[in-house]
Amino acid sequence: MTVPPPSLLPALFPNAVPLEPFLDETALQQECVTLPSMPVLWQVQSIDSTNRCLLEWGPRGLPQHFCLVARQQSAGRGRQGRPWVSDAEGSLTFSLWSVFDRSLQELSGLPLVVSLGMVEALHSLGMTCVGVKWPNDLWREGRKVAGVLVETTRLSRGQVGAVIGIGLNVALPPAVQDTFALPLNDLRDEEGLAPARAPVLGRLLNTLIPLLESFAQSGFAPFAKTWMTHCVHRNQPVTLLHPNQTRSQGECVGLSPLGGLILRDLEGESHIYHGGELSLRFGVP
Ligand code: BTN
């Protein structure tokens, strides 16, 4: 497959503003130590949505694990049709293009693998206060630190193209925090110092890409136990909100082989819930 040269960037992504790179590429590459080769990565100053662009251009032949990182998005997309608001200096927003020989149903565990990889990467950088919240958020001390939006498209020969969009709050100014309905957190330490974004992105890629390859081979089941060890609501009572406003409640006791949440109800019966359209709340009102 031909790798598009960066000079093609304006032609491929007409909405992008490709000024100077805003992340230190050397620091980024130094973190990708265990990858056999550095993924193709383009930085843009501004774009509508990295997910939307890769969903349009991935099927036209982008290389596997192509990464588009944007300093700013004018129409960032969140889960369940919500907008994703980020900050040019305090967020990390990027998307990865990955092609899988798996069915859409088998890919339902993909967002969980991504959230697991992110937690493992951040822990390896010393940020051990971060955990996963089903299905694919990163939480710190009861507030959201990062979100994952996976969008898929069918390709020829039964393959599926997945755009893995990641929005990470590194050091969010209060004005941006106020635009979200739920309170947010970020990666700043007790002294208010935030990690540099380039090494964080490099470490994320270095951790995520091998996990994606392992997921492509073996599916979600081998990851279920480890995911639960990082789960912020493991063995806790939770409520699931369905799109039709109904609720399911129970104790969170594990994950199914496809990444569905297993809740045990008051009668001791277990139920499995799947789907990106569900929202999880802590506790049972
Ligand atoms: C969520 O709602 O929790 C998911 C948020 C995902 C946001 C990221 S930012 C980079 C990528 N591009 C987008 O438009 N959305 C994702």
Side-chain angles (χ1 to χ4, degrees), residues 225-246:
K225 257 197 180 148
T226 319
W227 198 96
M228 282 307 289
T229 64
H230 294 294
C231 176
V232 294
H233 45 78
R234 180 163 51 122
N235 300 331
Q236 302 289 317
V238 297
T239 301
L240 285 183
L241 307 178
H242 298 262
N244 64 2
Q245 309 302 324
T246 59

Side-chain angles (χ1 to χ4, degrees), residues 160-181:
V160 174
V163 175
I164 299 163
I166 294 178
L168 177 62
N169 306 330
V170 179
L172 271 197
V176 176
Q177 301 213 10
D178 292 347
T179 59
F180 281 78

Side-chain angles (χ1 to χ4, degrees), residues 121-193:
L122 295 175
H123 282 206
S124 74
L125 288 169
M127 292 171 246
T128 51
C129 48
V130 180
V132 285
K133 173 177 175 278
W134 191 86
N136 48 16
D137 285 349
L138 262 59
W139 276 51
R140 175 186 183 182
E141 291 144 15
R143 290 179 289 151
K144 181 162 169 164
V145 175
V148 178
L149 175 67
V150 173
E151 298 183 88
T152 52
T153 179
R154 283 181 206 276
L155 305 174
S156 57
R157 285 176 273 118
Q159 293 186 309
V160 174
V163 175
I164 299 163
I166 294 178
L168 177 62
N169 306 330
V170 179
L172 271 197
V176 176
Q177 301 213 10
D178 292 347
T179 59
F180 281 78
L182 296 170
L184 296 177
N185 213 335
D186 60 29
L187 296 180
R188 277 177 291 192
D189 64 16
E190 296 79 41
E191 276 129 44
L193 293 175

